[in-house]
Amino acid sequence: MLDDRKLAVLRAIVEDYVSTNEPVGSKALADRHNLGVSPATIRNDMAALEEQGYITQPHTSAGRVPTDKGYRLFVDRLSQIKPLSGAERRAIETFLAGAVDLDEIVMRTVRLLAQLTRQVAVVQYPSLTRSSVRHVEIVPLAERRVMLVLITNTGRVEQRVVDLPEAIADDRIANLRAVLNACLDGCGLSQVPETVADIPDRLPPEDRPVAATILSVLLETLVERHEEKIVFGGTANLAAADFSIGLRDVLEALEEQVVLIRLLGETGGLSELTVRIGSENPYSGLRGTSIVAAGYGSGDRELARLGVLGPTRMDYPVTMGAVRAVARYVGQILAGS
């Protein structure tokens, strides 16, 4: 364990290196920070920090830079996450509240996170496995064609055009729609196949072929779109970043949906921030990056996760504050939609 003075020196090194991108020397620390000790004492503390692996000297004559272990201790011992200003909070609320559907909420969230943090923003769509049916709509398009629309409680909308085996009157379509909604309202999507199994038996015999066709498309839709969906943006911010590994490796990793889902982390508490730093990432192509992520959802239930990816030399207090605030606002919008 480090004493308070060495922690203060480490904190100052991290802050200076993040802001200047230059190795930090003892004289600069003494000049810029009110540490209350002499440069010689700071040098001794830096030597101890280096010996314990919290900082390193990239060149013989240079100052020190934080290691992954040093960043980890800095993040774990943060006294506070930098709160957003009132103007920033109002801007977030206004920007996100203007979204008209889930797709736009996700795209606006990606843009917003990238702008606030100057990093790559990553947003996961609400998982179908954690969603339930809010409404099923069947819209006649032609004599033997309808539009099937499935709306979930998370705002996700799936729609398919269905070709029917025979023509069916609007009143019979309306009856099928009513039966479907009576059965499926509030039903978890994973329970839908079991729930709809006996629906054809509840209908008049002449409506069963049409019902079977529509139910088949409904179940195919759930299976087909069962995969998790990830959207990311702000990759242009990587151009200004410094990586100990190649930028190409980072870009290749970003294109792998499975990689991004794992990086965002497992489901946890809604207010819980996850920070993975450098070598803590399981993918070699991302060992020079850090990921800050949080869950979002409605009520006390997490629906999905969002976060940002950038170099380990990032402003953690600002980034963590932005990710937490945006996750909270997205959850509020989904809860009210």
Side-chain angles (χ1 to χ4, degrees), residues 225-237:
R225 297 298 296 273
H226 198 66
E227 86 287 352
E228 306 293 355
K229 187 177 176 184
I230 293 274
V231 175
F232 65 90
T235 49
N237 291 326

Side-chain angles (χ1 to χ4, degrees), residues 262-279:
R262 288 192 60 190
L263 285 175
L264 287 178
E266 299 300 320
T267 303
L270 281 179
S271 60
E272 184 181 326
L273 279 168
T274 303
V275 182
R276 289 189 182 182
I277 299 169
S279 56

Side-chain angles (χ1 to χ4, degrees), residues 31-228:
D31 292 343
R32 295 175 190 159
H33 300 270
N34 184 23
L35 296 172
V37 293
S38 68
T41 302
I42 293 174
R43 279 195 295 276
N44 290 336
D45 288 341
M46 291 175 73
L49 288 168
E50 185 172 10
E51 186 177 340
Q52 295 180 62
Y54 293 107
I55 58 176
T56 188
Q57 190 173 26
H59 310 291
T60 306
S61 59
R64 270 61 168 187
V65 301
T67 62
D68 290 351
K69 182 180 178 182
Y71 284 124
R72 168 49 61 193
L73 185 62
F74 172 79
V75 168
D76 289 346
R77 299 296 291 270
L78 270 179
S79 57
Q80 65 176 29
I81 296 171
K82 185 178 179 182
L84 299 179
S85 68
E88 286 174 322
R89 290 196 301 271
R90 286 191 295 274
I92 290 174
E93 194 170 5
T94 301
F95 184 66
L96 292 180
V100 296
D101 57 24
L102 181 64
D103 288 331
E104 193 173 355
I105 290 172
V106 170
M107 295 311 300
R108 286 186 179 222
T109 301
V110 165
R111 287 166 52 198
L112 184 64
L113 267 178
Q115 290 169 5
L116 285 172
T117 64
R118 301 297 178 196
Q119 312 290 357
V120 178
V122 184
V123 179
Q124 180 184 21
Y125 268 75
S127 171
L128 282 175
T129 59
R130 296 179 216 140
S131 302
S132 59
V133 177
R134 174 179 287 177
H135 185 70
V136 177
E137 188 60 59
I138 305 173
V139 183
L141 299 177
E143 191 177 55
R144 293 176 54 181
R145 177 173 286 186
V146 297
M147 172 78 77
L148 174 66
V149 183
L150 172 70
I151 303 171
T152 72
N153 65 320
T154 56
R156 196 159 173 170
V157 179
E158 303 290 339
Q159 55 188 38
R160 294 288 185 278
V161 173
V162 184
D163 290 315
L164 305 178
E166 60 189 71
I168 183 169
D170 289 354
D171 60 330
R172 290 161 63 191
I173 287 288
N175 179 56
L176 176 56
R177 181 193 305 122
V179 171
L180 274 175
N181 280 297
C183 291
L184 295 179
D185 183 31
C187 177
L189 296 192
S190 57
Q191 280 82 51
V192 168
E194 180 183 346
T195 305
V196 302
D198 65 344
I199 281 182
D201 295 336
R202 305 186 193 185
L203 298 168
E206 63 270 21
D207 289 347
R208 291 174 188 172
V210 168
T213 300
I214 290 176
L215 290 174
S216 174
V217 173
L218 175 66
L219 296 178
E220 284 175 12
T221 299
L222 296 180
V223 172
E224 183 182 311
R225 297 298 296 273
H226 198 66
E227 86 287 352
E228 306 293 355

Side-chain angles (χ1 to χ4, degrees), residues 276-295:
R276 289 189 182 182
I277 299 169
S279 56
E280 297 170 0
N281 292 316
Y283 300 96
S284 59
L286 293 173
R287 293 289 164 84
T289 68
S290 288
I291 292 93
V292 178

